[in-house]
Amino acid sequence: MADTTGNTRGGVEDIAQPRKSSWAYIGPGIVVAATGVGAGDLVATLIAGSKFGYTLMWAAVIGCLVKISLAEAAGRWHLATGRTLFDGWQSLGRWTTVYFAIYVVVWGFVYGATAMSSSALPLVALFPDGPDLKVWAVAMGLVGLVFVWFNKYAVFEKAMTVLIGVMFVVVVYVAIRVTPNVGEAFAGLVPVLPDGSLLYTLGLIGGVGGTITMAAYGYWVNAKGWTDTGWMKVMRLDNRVAYVTTGVFVVAMLIVGAELLHTTGLALTQGDKGLVDLGMILEERYGPATAKLFLVGFFATSFSSLIGVWHGVSLMFADFVGRLRGGSGDGAVAEVAAGERERSGAFRGYLLWLTFPPMALLWLDQPFGLVIVYGVLGAFFMPFLALTLIWLLNSSRTPREWRNGWVSNGMLAAAGLLFVVLCIQQVRELPW
């Protein structure tokens, strides 16, 4: 935990000694990058590359800038105010509590099944003579549950660092293996919108790495022991590392889509199964060793998202329950930093909710009504996050020194508008 001297909250005085930015402190950013980039995100990027080649490379870069702004705002709120994000939401009115309560229950139920299936898919492909998908999925849910239940943030962060290292090496290796056209890649940095590319462009900017885990970033910042403004520079470096890493994933997948799929006219299945298709294509082109290495990277991508959500969203839920029980918002950050939230009944209760009830969906088709509610709530979350951060960070709830400047307001407003457009499109595409 940071040392402070004469530090008071609420904007009266804050003279926490600033920490020097150092790569040695990097951690929460690695966690948020590993969690936010899921298998479905990589498939969406591959398909964009397969349809438009390198033309949308610029959208990937803008997407990273948008995510840097959003995560920085969430982290800045936690450090500048000494209050958690949910505490801030609650100060905006009861409607935020109602929305979050419905969202976190329904979203967790459906996402649990999705994450377990996604982690199981590469294992089925790697071990074709082994158990079937449902058995692997249940196993992955139980492994995630046990790992997060019995380990503190420090161990969790180390595991996520290993997983993102595997992801990074595999994705970059595959991108190099397909021999990128460097000239066309640089040309793709010039903003162009080919016919029919608008939705793919918006998805690239807003989709990869853009989930509830962006809201969890502030909680991971506190869990690392960063609790006051002395850690602000460190947090900003950490956050930039996170989304530069995410940008590398996006660019690498665009390269693979452009070189391996666009030039040959090959198509992938939508969703996580598209990565299994890609593994088969890689095996045909480059041999079984490359295909198996890619499937290992696919597993690292999926399983890091699983345990990241199991930990981060459970932290948020524990904070939510603590505030509903009348707990003090001023003490929540200290409790997260001390690891008390990870030992709480609410944290472990939500872990169980993410793991066991969703297993039923592995054997049953998702009920129609549940799909609709899940889709609507999920579509509204990112606009909710962007717009509430603008509200919180321009108000007296934030000490004047740490309120938004024009750059932050511009980026958050652009993100809010982007996510509103994506929200409308997602809701329109639901199977009403």
Side-chain angles (χ1 to χ4, degrees):
M1 190 177 296
D3 296 329
T4 60
T5 306
N7 184 302
T8 54
R9 299 290 180 184
V12 178
E13 183 184 10
D14 194 334
I15 55 173
Q17 297 302 310
R19 299 285 181 141
K20 183 180 179 181
S21 294
S22 170
W23 293 96
Y25 290 128
I26 299 302
I30 295 297
V31 172
V32 78
T35 306
V37 179
D41 296 313
L42 296 186
V43 172
T45 307
L46 280 167
I47 291 174
S50 71
K51 288 183 177 292
F52 303 104
Y54 292 98
T55 309
L56 300 182
M57 189 75 75
W58 62 273
V61 174
I62 291 178
C64 289
L65 296 177
V66 167
K67 305 307 186 324
I68 286 172
S69 299
L70 275 167
E72 187 275 341
R76 177 156 44 96
W77 166 265
H78 277 247
L79 296 180
T81 65
R83 300 164 66 190
T84 63
L85 186 54
F86 183 76
D87 189 33
W89 285 338
Q90 195 174 47
S91 74
L92 300 178
R94 183 175 174 79
W95 65 275
T96 60
T97 301
V98 172
Y99 169 76
F100 185 78
I102 299 171
Y103 174 83
V104 79
V105 171
V106 176
W107 182 89
F109 182 50
V110 180
Y111 180 82
T114 303
M116 287 186 270
S117 294
S118 180
S119 297
L121 275 169
L123 295 175
V124 172
L126 280 167
F127 306 105
D129 297 326
D132 66 12
L133 179 70
K134 294 182 180 65
V135 174
W136 277 120
V138 169
M140 290 302 96
L142 294 175
V143 170
L145 170 69
V146 171
F147 176 78
V148 175
W149 188 292
F150 289 105
N151 286 295
K152 298 287 186 65
Y153 172 80
V155 178
F156 164 71
E157 182 187 287
K158 286 182 174 64
M160 294 294 273
T161 301
V162 171
L163 289 169
I164 201 171
V166 173
M167 292 165 59
F168 191 92
V169 169
V170 169
V171 168
V172 171
Y173 167 76
V174 173
I176 294 171
R177 194 80 169 83
V178 301
T179 315
N181 186 317
V182 178
E184 289 187 13
F186 276 105
L189 296 175
V190 178
V192 175
L193 272 179
D195 290 342
S197 68
L198 179 59
L199 292 180
Y200 290 95
T201 302
L202 293 175
L204 270 180
I205 296 173
V208 181
T211 67
I212 191 174
T213 54
M214 297 193 70
Y217 178 64
Y219 290 85
W220 284 322
V221 163
N222 292 154
K224 181 74 170 176
W226 306 347
T227 59
D228 58 41
T229 56
W231 292 98
M232 197 70 76
K233 287 184 178 180
V234 175
M235 180 275 291
R236 284 170 168 162
L237 174 64
D238 178 76
N239 176 47
R240 289 169 192 146
V241 169
Y243 286 100
V244 168
T245 303
T246 301
V248 171
F249 291 141
V250 178
V251 168
M253 285 293 99
L254 270 176
I255 289 170
V256 174
E259 294 294 342
L260 199 61
L261 306 176
H262 181 67
T263 57
T264 57
L266 296 172
L268 294 182
T269 306
Q270 294 279 353
D272 298 351
K273 291 182 180 178
L275 292 187
V276 176
D277 294 347
L278 181 60
M280 294 177 181
I281 295 168
L282 288 170
E283 183 169 3
E284 291 176 4
R285 290 289 184 89
Y286 304 109
T290 297
K292 289 187 183 302
L293 180 65
F294 175 75
L295 289 171
V296 170
F298 176 6
F299 172 76
T301 300
S302 298
F303 191 66
S304 64
S305 292
L306 185 152
I307 62 173
V309 167
W310 263 230
H311 188 276
V313 184
S314 296
L315 268 182
M316 294 182 69
F317 183 78
D319 185 40
F320 163 71
V321 172
R323 295 294 292 135
L324 286 186
R325 290 175 174 171
S328 170
D330 293 335
V333 162
E335 290 176 9
V336 174
E340 293 177 20
R341 292 294 199 212
E342 292 167 285
R343 297 190 295 270
S344 69
F347 180 91
R348 290 175 169 174
Y350 194 72
L351 274 178
L352 296 173
W353 174 254
L354 281 167
T355 305
F356 290 107
M359 288 179 182
L361 296 181
L362 298 173
W363 275 266
L364 302 171
D365 290 332
Q366 295 175 7
F368 179 78
L370 188 61
V371 171
I372 297 297
V373 175
Y374 173 76
V376 170
L377 290 170
F380 273 92
F381 184 79
M382 291 304 287
F384 169 80
L385 176 62
L387 298 174
T388 54
L389 282 172
I390 291 175
W391 190 346
L392 290 170
L393 292 168
N394 284 286
S395 72
S396 59
R397 297 172 180 84
T398 304
R400 185 173 299 278
E401 179 186 358
W402 302 108
R403 291 178 197 169
N404 278 357
W406 66 270
V407 174
S408 294
N409 276 326
M411 292 299 293
L412 287 176
L417 179 61
L418 166 70
F419 291 126
V420 166
V421 173
L422 285 172
C423 172
I424 293 169
Q425 183 60 30
Q426 284 177 262
V427 172
R428 286 177 59 188
E429 291 179 353
L430 287 170
W432 298 98

